[in-house]
Amino acid sequence: MNNDIVVLKGITKKYNEHGLAINNINLSAKSGEMVAIIGESGSGKTTLLNIIGGNIKEYSGHYRLQGKDFNSLSNREKAEKKNKYIGYIIQDYGLIDDQSVYNNVKLPLLFNQDININQIRGLVMSVLEKVNLSKLTDRKVKQLSGGEKQRVAIARAIINRPALVIADEPTAALDTSNTFKIMELLKKINVEEGVTFIIATHNKKVAEMCNRTIVLQDGKIVD
């Protein structure tokens, strides 16, 4: 049985009429795999992640998510897929600084029609326990350290128990010690919960902690 959660075939994305951001990408990721995408700035990493995350609609080629052609889904189905089955971790955290840790983490649940309002607190507290932030529930994000903010971002990314988490330079703003701690946390979630991770990074040590590394250069896979 094929357990590929992501399959890209011939994916090409133009950034203007003369150039390609992504050029004929063929890529797959299996359920429970941890894949690193490494490359210099401008190599196409973020564009590729945005296609996988459903944030870019105009491209050529075929993208299948959990066995279904993503572009064949209605806008409503795409939105539901993105919220329920895909988690995001971005470089600058993407958090609401003036809101509490709790309010930031619960946000995706508000758009999940399968979640009853009475379930929210239990789910948030459970995921904050996993990322070792249960004592900072009511603290505002702007009062946190960089490593703590990234843990909040991770908690928010996994709150809906997604099948896939996309991480764009998740450790770029962190020092070496916090980088290792965050990657150890992602690896633990990957192993214990079977979540697939696709991680874009400049950091070769981060890539080495993943199962497989894909090297992008000028929009092409070169290794």
PDB file of all heavy atoms in Angstrom, residues 31-65:
ATOM      1  N   SER A  31       4.098   9.115   4.857  1.00  0.00           N
ATOM      2  CA  SER A  31       3.495   9.347   6.158  1.00  0.00           C
ATOM      3  C   SER A  31       4.504   9.015   7.257  1.00  0.00           C
ATOM      4  O   SER A  31       5.118   7.946   7.249  1.00  0.00           O
ATOM      5  CB  SER A  31       2.244   8.481   6.308  1.00  0.00           C
ATOM      6  OG  SER A  31       1.653   8.664   7.564  1.00  0.00           O
ATOM      7  N   GLY A  32       4.721   9.941   8.170  1.00  0.00           N
ATOM      8  CA  GLY A  32       5.650   9.737   9.270  1.00  0.00           C
ATOM      9  C   GLY A  32       7.092  10.053   8.950  1.00  0.00           C
ATOM     10  O   GLY A  32       7.962   9.884   9.803  1.00  0.00           O
ATOM     11  N   GLU A  33       7.350  10.546   7.758  1.00  0.00           N
ATOM     12  CA  GLU A  33       8.724  10.875   7.359  1.00  0.00           C
ATOM     13  C   GLU A  33       9.062  12.304   7.785  1.00  0.00           C
ATOM     14  O   GLU A  33       8.186  13.150   7.951  1.00  0.00           O
ATOM     15  CB  GLU A  33       8.867  10.739   5.840  1.00  0.00           C
ATOM     16  CG  GLU A  33      10.303  10.754   5.354  1.00  0.00           C
ATOM     17  CD  GLU A  33      10.419  10.446   3.868  1.00  0.00           C
ATOM     18  OE1 GLU A  33       9.416  10.584   3.138  1.00  0.00           O
ATOM     19  OE2 GLU A  33      11.527  10.094   3.432  1.00  0.00           O
ATOM     20  N   MET A  34      10.355  12.564   7.938  1.00  0.00           N
ATOM     21  CA  MET A  34      10.851  13.899   8.259  1.00  0.00           C
ATOM     22  C   MET A  34      11.849  14.287   7.171  1.00  0.00           C
ATOM     23  O   MET A  34      12.946  13.734   7.089  1.00  0.00           O
ATOM     24  CB  MET A  34      11.513  13.904   9.636  1.00  0.00           C
ATOM     25  CG  MET A  34      11.630  15.261  10.280  1.00  0.00           C
ATOM     26  SD  MET A  34      12.027  15.087  12.047  1.00  0.00           S
ATOM     27  CE  MET A  34      11.808  16.768  12.597  1.00  0.00           C
ATOM     28  N   VAL A  35      11.439  15.217   6.311  1.00  0.00           N
ATOM     29  CA  VAL A  35      12.211  15.568   5.120  1.00  0.00           C
ATOM     30  C   VAL A  35      12.749  16.990   5.251  1.00  0.00           C
ATOM     31  O   VAL A  35      11.998  17.913   5.582  1.00  0.00           O
ATOM     32  CB  VAL A  35      11.340  15.472   3.851  1.00  0.00           C
ATOM     33  CG1 VAL A  35      12.147  15.858   2.613  1.00  0.00           C
ATOM     34  CG2 VAL A  35      10.764  14.073   3.704  1.00  0.00           C
ATOM     35  N   ALA A  36      14.033  17.172   5.000  1.00  0.00           N
ATOM     36  CA  ALA A  36      14.637  18.499   4.982  1.00  0.00           C
ATOM     37  C   ALA A  36      14.802  18.952   3.535  1.00  0.00           C
ATOM     38  O   ALA A  36      15.215  18.167   2.679  1.00  0.00           O
ATOM     39  CB  ALA A  36      15.991  18.475   5.668  1.00  0.00           C
ATOM     40  N   ILE A  37      14.482  20.210   3.289  1.00  0.00           N
ATOM     41  CA  ILE A  37      14.745  20.836   1.992  1.00  0.00           C
ATOM     42  C   ILE A  37      15.768  21.929   2.251  1.00  0.00           C
ATOM     43  O   ILE A  37      15.500  22.885   2.985  1.00  0.00           O
ATOM     44  CB  ILE A  37      13.468  21.415   1.363  1.00  0.00           C
ATOM     45  CG1 ILE A  37      12.459  20.301   1.126  1.00  0.00           C
ATOM     46  CG2 ILE A  37      13.794  22.123   0.048  1.00  0.00           C
ATOM     47  CD1 ILE A  37      11.118  20.778   0.610  1.00  0.00           C
ATOM     48  N   ILE A  38      16.934  21.777   1.672  1.00  0.00           N
ATOM     49  CA  ILE A  38      18.030  22.689   1.960  1.00  0.00           C
ATOM     50  C   ILE A  38      18.448  23.405   0.678  1.00  0.00           C
ATOM     51  O   ILE A  38      18.372  22.852  -0.420  1.00  0.00           O
ATOM     52  CB  ILE A  38      19.212  21.925   2.603  1.00  0.00           C
ATOM     53  CG1 ILE A  38      20.194  22.882   3.263  1.00  0.00           C
ATOM     54  CG2 ILE A  38      19.899  20.989   1.631  1.00  0.00           C
ATOM     55  CD1 ILE A  38      21.177  22.204   4.212  1.00  0.00           C
ATOM     56  N   GLY A  39      18.870  24.659   0.829  1.00  0.00           N
ATOM     57  CA  GLY A  39      19.294  25.442  -0.326  1.00  0.00           C
ATOM     58  C   GLY A  39      19.521  26.879   0.081  1.00  0.00           C
ATOM     59  O   GLY A  39      19.057  27.332   1.129  1.00  0.00           O
ATOM     60  N   GLU A  40      20.242  27.613  -0.761  1.00  0.00           N
ATOM     61  CA  GLU A  40      20.519  29.023  -0.486  1.00  0.00           C
ATOM     62  C   GLU A  40      19.248  29.854  -0.633  1.00  0.00           C
ATOM     63  O   GLU A  40      18.245  29.406  -1.189  1.00  0.00           O
ATOM     64  CB  GLU A  40      21.604  29.534  -1.448  1.00  0.00           C
ATOM     65  CG  GLU A  40      22.928  28.808  -1.352  1.00  0.00           C
ATOM     66  CD  GLU A  40      23.586  28.984   0.004  1.00  0.00           C
ATOM     67  OE1 GLU A  40      23.423  30.061   0.603  1.00  0.00           O
ATOM     68  OE2 GLU A  40      24.254  28.037   0.468  1.00  0.00           O
ATOM     69  N   SER A  41      19.298  31.098  -0.143  1.00  0.00           N
ATOM     70  CA  SER A  41      18.187  32.027  -0.354  1.00  0.00           C
ATOM     71  C   SER A  41      17.945  32.183  -1.850  1.00  0.00           C
ATOM     72  O   SER A  41      18.893  32.315  -2.631  1.00  0.00           O
ATOM     73  CB  SER A  41      18.512  33.394   0.256  1.00  0.00           C
ATOM     74  OG  SER A  41      18.628  33.292   1.656  1.00  0.00           O
ATOM     75  N   GLY A  42      16.683  32.144  -2.246  1.00  0.00           N
ATOM     76  CA  GLY A  42      16.352  32.266  -3.661  1.00  0.00           C
ATOM     77  C   GLY A  42      16.356  30.955  -4.411  1.00  0.00           C
ATOM     78  O   GLY A  42      16.110  30.932  -5.622  1.00  0.00           O
ATOM     79  N   SER A  43      16.590  29.850  -3.702  1.00  0.00           N
ATOM     80  CA  SER A  43      16.641  28.551  -4.382  1.00  0.00           C
ATOM     81  C   SER A  43      15.257  27.983  -4.664  1.00  0.00           C
ATOM     82  O   SER A  43      15.123  27.030  -5.437  1.00  0.00           O
ATOM     83  CB  SER A  43      17.449  27.545  -3.542  1.00  0.00           C
ATOM     84  OG  SER A  43      16.830  27.338  -2.279  1.00  0.00           O
ATOM     85  N   GLY A  44      14.230  28.554  -4.024  1.00  0.00           N
ATOM     86  CA  GLY A  44      12.864  28.094  -4.272  1.00  0.00           C
ATOM     87  C   GLY A  44      12.236  27.352  -3.114  1.00  0.00           C
ATOM     88  O   GLY A  44      11.122  26.836  -3.235  1.00  0.00           O
ATOM     89  N   LYS A  45      12.915  27.305  -1.962  1.00  0.00           N
ATOM     90  CA  LYS A  45      12.405  26.533  -0.818  1.00  0.00           C
ATOM     91  C   LYS A  45      11.026  27.019  -0.362  1.00  0.00           C
ATOM     92  O   LYS A  45      10.100  26.225  -0.201  1.00  0.00           O
ATOM     93  CB  LYS A  45      13.382  26.612   0.360  1.00  0.00           C
ATOM     94  CG  LYS A  45      14.778  26.065   0.099  1.00  0.00           C
ATOM     95  CD  LYS A  45      15.588  25.960   1.371  1.00  0.00           C
ATOM     96  CE  LYS A  45      15.708  27.248   2.152  1.00  0.00           C
ATOM     97  NZ  LYS A  45      16.379  28.329   1.396  1.00  0.00           N
ATOM     98  N   THR A  46      10.907  28.317  -0.141  1.00  0.00           N
ATOM     99  CA  THR A  46       9.644  28.851   0.375  1.00  0.00           C
ATOM    100  C   THR A  46       8.526  28.708  -0.639  1.00  0.00           C
ATOM    101  O   THR A  46       7.380  28.378  -0.284  1.00  0.00           O
ATOM    102  CB  THR A  46       9.819  30.328   0.787  1.00  0.00           C
ATOM    103  OG1 THR A  46      10.772  30.403   1.860  1.00  0.00           O
ATOM    104  CG2 THR A  46       8.505  30.924   1.272  1.00  0.00           C
ATOM    105  N   THR A  47       8.828  28.925  -1.907  1.00  0.00           N
ATOM    106  CA  THR A  47       7.811  28.734  -2.952  1.00  0.00           C
ATOM    107  C   THR A  47       7.312  27.303  -2.951  1.00  0.00           C
ATOM    108  O   THR A  47       6.097  27.043  -3.023  1.00  0.00           O
ATOM    109  CB  THR A  47       8.383  29.089  -4.334  1.00  0.00           C
ATOM    110  OG1 THR A  47       8.796  30.462  -4.342  1.00  0.00           O
ATOM    111  CG2 THR A  47       7.349  28.877  -5.434  1.00  0.00           C
ATOM    112  N   LEU A  48       8.228  26.355  -2.846  1.00  0.00           N
ATOM    113  CA  LEU A  48       7.851  24.947  -2.830  1.00  0.00           C
ATOM    114  C   LEU A  48       6.973  24.624  -1.624  1.00  0.00           C
ATOM    115  O   LEU A  48       5.950  23.944  -1.750  1.00  0.00           O
ATOM    116  CB  LEU A  48       9.109  24.078  -2.825  1.00  0.00           C
ATOM    117  CG  LEU A  48       8.901  22.564  -2.868  1.00  0.00           C
ATOM    118  CD1 LEU A  48       8.088  22.152  -4.085  1.00  0.00           C
ATOM    119  CD2 LEU A  48      10.250  21.841  -2.852  1.00  0.00           C
ATOM    120  N   LEU A  49       7.339  25.146  -0.450  1.00  0.00           N
ATOM    121  CA  LEU A  49       6.526  24.909   0.742  1.00  0.00           C
ATOM    122  C   LEU A  49       5.141  25.523   0.602  1.00  0.00           C
ATOM    123  O   LEU A  49       4.147  24.945   1.054  1.00  0.00           O
ATOM    124  CB  LEU A  49       7.219  25.483   1.986  1.00  0.00           C
ATOM    125  CG  LEU A  49       8.504  24.809   2.456  1.00  0.00           C
ATOM    126  CD1 LEU A  49       8.889  25.331   3.833  1.00  0.00           C
ATOM    127  CD2 LEU A  49       8.372  23.297   2.504  1.00  0.00           C
ATOM    128  N   ASN A  50       5.070  26.688  -0.016  1.00  0.00           N
ATOM    129  CA  ASN A  50       3.769  27.341  -0.194  1.00  0.00           C
ATOM    130  C   ASN A  50       2.873  26.578  -1.163  1.00  0.00           C
ATOM    131  O   ASN A  50       1.644  26.595  -1.024  1.00  0.00           O
ATOM    132  CB  ASN A  50       3.960  28.777  -0.662  1.00  0.00           C
ATOM    133  CG  ASN A  50       4.208  29.731   0.491  1.00  0.00           C
ATOM    134  OD1 ASN A  50       3.585  29.629   1.541  1.00  0.00           O
ATOM    135  ND2 ASN A  50       5.122  30.666   0.306  1.00  0.00           N
ATOM    136  N   ILE A  51       3.459  25.914  -2.123  1.00  0.00           N
ATOM    137  CA  ILE A  51       2.662  25.057  -3.016  1.00  0.00           C
ATOM    138  C   ILE A  51       2.139  23.852  -2.233  1.00  0.00           C
ATOM    139  O   ILE A  51       0.954  23.513  -2.298  1.00  0.00           O
ATOM    140  CB  ILE A  51       3.495  24.616  -4.229  1.00  0.00           C
ATOM    141  CG1 ILE A  51       3.727  25.821  -5.163  1.00  0.00           C
ATOM    142  CG2 ILE A  51       2.788  23.483  -4.998  1.00  0.00           C
ATOM    143  CD1 ILE A  51       4.682  25.547  -6.306  1.00  0.00           C
ATOM    144  N   ILE A  52       3.021  23.217  -1.467  1.00  0.00           N
ATOM    145  CA  ILE A  52       2.610  22.059  -0.670  1.00  0.00           C
ATOM    146  C   ILE A  52       1.547  22.457   0.354  1.00  0.00           C
ATOM    147  O   ILE A  52       0.602  21.710   0.618  1.00  0.00           O
ATOM    148  CB  ILE A  52       3.827  21.427   0.020  1.00  0.00           C
ATOM    149  CG1 ILE A  52       4.805  20.858  -1.022  1.00  0.00           C
ATOM    150  CG2 ILE A  52       3.392  20.319   0.987  1.00  0.00           C
ATOM    151  CD1 ILE A  52       6.142  20.419  -0.449  1.00  0.00           C
ATOM    152  N   GLY A  53       1.686  23.653   0.911  1.00  0.00           N
ATOM    153  CA  GLY A  53       0.731  24.127   1.903  1.00  0.00           C
ATOM    154  C   GLY A  53      -0.562  24.671   1.325  1.00  0.00           C
ATOM    155  O   GLY A  53      -1.469  25.050   2.070  1.00  0.00           O
ATOM    156  N   GLY A  54      -0.658  24.693   0.000  1.00  0.00           N
ATOM    157  CA  GLY A  54      -1.890  25.157  -0.644  1.00  0.00           C
ATOM    158  C   GLY A  54      -2.032  26.658  -0.687  1.00  0.00           C
ATOM    159  O   GLY A  54      -3.125  27.176  -0.936  1.00  0.00           O
ATOM    160  N   ASN A  55      -0.930  27.387  -0.477  1.00  0.00           N
ATOM    161  CA  ASN A  55      -0.991  28.850  -0.474  1.00  0.00           C
ATOM    162  C   ASN A  55      -0.725  29.465  -1.846  1.00  0.00           C
ATOM    163  O   ASN A  55      -0.952  30.655  -2.034  1.00  0.00           O
ATOM    164  CB  ASN A  55       0.012  29.408   0.535  1.00  0.00           C
ATOM    165  CG  ASN A  55      -0.287  28.950   1.945  1.00  0.00           C
ATOM    166  OD1 ASN A  55      -1.445  28.828   2.325  1.00  0.00           O
ATOM    167  ND2 ASN A  55       0.747  28.667   2.716  1.00  0.00           N
ATOM    168  N   ILE A  56      -0.218  28.670  -2.779  1.00  0.00           N
ATOM    169  CA  ILE A  56      -0.011  29.112  -4.160  1.00  0.00           C
ATOM    170  C   ILE A  56      -0.881  28.251  -5.063  1.00  0.00           C
ATOM    171  O   ILE A  56      -0.807  27.023  -5.024  1.00  0.00           O
ATOM    172  CB  ILE A  56       1.475  28.997  -4.564  1.00  0.00           C
ATOM    173  CG1 ILE A  56       2.322  30.002  -3.776  1.00  0.00           C
ATOM    174  CG2 ILE A  56       1.645  29.225  -6.069  1.00  0.00           C
ATOM    175  CD1 ILE A  56       3.811  29.920  -4.071  1.00  0.00           C
ATOM    176  N   LYS A  57      -1.709  28.906  -5.858  1.00  0.00           N
ATOM    177  CA  LYS A  57      -2.667  28.178  -6.689  1.00  0.00           C
ATOM    178  C   LYS A  57      -2.204  28.038  -8.137  1.00  0.00           C
ATOM    179  O   LYS A  57      -2.533  27.060  -8.811  1.00  0.00           O
ATOM    180  CB  LYS A  57      -4.024  28.889  -6.653  1.00  0.00           C
ATOM    181  CG  LYS A  57      -4.634  28.973  -5.269  1.00  0.00           C
ATOM    182  CD  LYS A  57      -5.947  29.740  -5.287  1.00  0.00           C
ATOM    183  CE  LYS A  57      -6.540  29.855  -3.893  1.00  0.00           C
ATOM    184  NZ  LYS A  57      -7.802  30.644  -3.904  1.00  0.00           N
ATOM    185  N   GLU A  58      -1.482  29.024  -8.626  1.00  0.00           N
ATOM    186  CA  GLU A  58      -1.114  29.050 -10.046  1.00  0.00           C
ATOM    187  C   GLU A  58       0.242  28.390 -10.257  1.00  0.00           C
ATOM    188  O   GLU A  58       1.282  28.965  -9.943  1.00  0.00           O
ATOM    189  CB  GLU A  58      -1.092  30.500 -10.564  1.00  0.00           C
ATOM    190  CG  GLU A  58      -2.429  31.228 -10.412  1.00  0.00           C
ATOM    191  CD  GLU A  58      -3.531  30.582 -11.222  1.00  0.00           C
ATOM    192  OE1 GLU A  58      -3.242  30.063 -12.312  1.00  0.00           O
ATOM    193  OE2 GLU A  58      -4.690  30.578 -10.751  1.00  0.00           O
ATOM    194  N   TYR A  59       0.219  27.183 -10.777  1.00  0.00           N
ATOM    195  CA  TYR A  59       1.445  26.462 -11.125  1.00  0.00           C
ATOM    196  C   TYR A  59       1.052  25.352 -12.088  1.00  0.00           C
ATOM    197  O   TYR A  59      -0.122  24.988 -12.210  1.00  0.00           O
ATOM    198  CB  TYR A  59       2.139  25.888  -9.883  1.00  0.00           C
ATOM    199  CG  TYR A  59       1.268  24.981  -9.052  1.00  0.00           C
ATOM    200  CD1 TYR A  59       1.146  23.621  -9.344  1.00  0.00           C
ATOM    201  CD2 TYR A  59       0.550  25.469  -7.958  1.00  0.00           C
ATOM    202  CE1 TYR A  59       0.334  22.782  -8.600  1.00  0.00           C
ATOM    203  CE2 TYR A  59      -0.260  24.638  -7.199  1.00  0.00           C
ATOM    204  CZ  TYR A  59      -0.360  23.304  -7.521  1.00  0.00           C
ATOM    205  OH  TYR A  59      -1.152  22.481  -6.781  1.00  0.00           O
ATOM    206  N   SER A  60       2.044  24.791 -12.762  1.00  0.00           N
ATOM    207  CA  SER A  60       1.780  23.645 -13.632  1.00  0.00           C
ATOM    208  C   SER A  60       2.317  22.380 -12.969  1.00  0.00           C
ATOM    209  O   SER A  60       3.190  22.431 -12.110  1.00  0.00           O
ATOM    210  CB  SER A  60       2.430  23.850 -15.003  1.00  0.00           C
ATOM    211  OG  SER A  60       3.831  24.004 -14.883  1.00  0.00           O
ATOM    212  N   GLY A  61       1.781  21.248 -13.402  1.00  0.00           N
ATOM    213  CA  GLY A  61       2.144  19.972 -12.790  1.00  0.00           C
ATOM    214  C   GLY A  61       1.022  19.474 -11.901  1.00  0.00           C
ATOM    215  O   GLY A  61      -0.073  20.040 -11.867  1.00  0.00           O
ATOM    216  N   HIS A  62       1.293  18.407 -11.166  1.00  0.00           N
ATOM    217  CA  HIS A  62       0.262  17.764 -10.350  1.00  0.00           C
ATOM    218  C   HIS A  62       0.727  17.621  -8.907  1.00  0.00           C
ATOM    219  O   HIS A  62       1.856  17.217  -8.642  1.00  0.00           O
ATOM    220  CB  HIS A  62      -0.073  16.384 -10.923  1.00  0.00           C
ATOM    221  CG  HIS A  62      -0.597  16.435 -12.322  1.00  0.00           C
ATOM    222  ND1 HIS A  62      -1.895  16.779 -12.620  1.00  0.00           N
ATOM    223  CD2 HIS A  62       0.016  16.209 -13.509  1.00  0.00           C
ATOM    224  CE1 HIS A  62      -2.071  16.759 -13.927  1.00  0.00           C
ATOM    225  NE2 HIS A  62      -0.926  16.422 -14.487  1.00  0.00           N
ATOM    226  N   TYR A  63      -0.185  17.944  -7.991  1.00  0.00           N
ATOM    227  CA  TYR A  63       0.091  17.829  -6.561  1.00  0.00           C
ATOM    228  C   TYR A  63      -1.019  17.020  -5.921  1.00  0.00           C
ATOM    229  O   TYR A  63      -2.187  17.372  -5.974  1.00  0.00           O
ATOM    230  CB  TYR A  63       0.162  19.228  -5.935  1.00  0.00           C
ATOM    231  CG  TYR A  63       0.160  19.249  -4.414  1.00  0.00           C
ATOM    232  CD1 TYR A  63       0.754  18.225  -3.669  1.00  0.00           C
ATOM    233  CD2 TYR A  63      -0.416  20.305  -3.718  1.00  0.00           C
ATOM    234  CE1 TYR A  63       0.753  18.247  -2.291  1.00  0.00           C
ATOM    235  CE2 TYR A  63      -0.418  20.340  -2.333  1.00  0.00           C
ATOM    236  CZ  TYR A  63       0.160  19.310  -1.622  1.00  0.00           C
ATOM    237  OH  TYR A  63       0.158  19.330  -0.253  1.00  0.00           O
ATOM    238  N   ARG A  64      -0.616  15.902  -5.295  1.00  0.00           N
ATOM    239  CA  ARG A  64      -1.565  15.055  -4.583  1.00  0.00           C
ATOM    240  C   ARG A  64      -1.248  15.100  -3.085  1.00  0.00           C
ATOM    241  O   ARG A  64      -0.097  14.916  -2.684  1.00  0.00           O
ATOM    242  CB  ARG A  64      -1.516  13.613  -5.086  1.00  0.00           C
ATOM    243  CG  ARG A  64      -1.955  13.474  -6.539  1.00  0.00           C
ATOM    244  CD  ARG A  64      -1.899  12.021  -7.015  1.00  0.00           C
ATOM    245  NE  ARG A  64      -2.913  11.197  -6.367  1.00  0.00           N
ATOM    246  CZ  ARG A  64      -4.179  11.134  -6.768  1.00  0.00           C
ATOM    247  NH1 ARG A  64      -4.598  11.853  -7.799  1.00  0.00           N
ATOM    248  NH2 ARG A  64      -5.042  10.353  -6.137  1.00  0.00           N
ATOM    249  N   LEU A  65      -2.276  15.347  -2.285  1.00  0.00           N
ATOM    250  CA  LEU A  65      -2.164  15.370  -0.831  1.00  0.00           C
ATOM    251  C   LEU A  65      -3.079  14.299  -0.271  1.00  0.00           C
ATOM    252  O   LEU A  65      -4.281  14.287  -0.546  1.00  0.00           O
ATOM    253  CB  LEU A  65      -2.574  16.744  -0.286  1.00  0.00           C
ATOM    254  CG  LEU A  65      -2.577  16.895   1.242  1.00  0.00           C
ATOM    255  CD1 LEU A  65      -1.157  16.782   1.791  1.00  0.00           C
ATOM    256  CD2 LEU A  65      -3.201  18.231   1.657  1.00  0.00           C
TER     257      LEU A  65
END
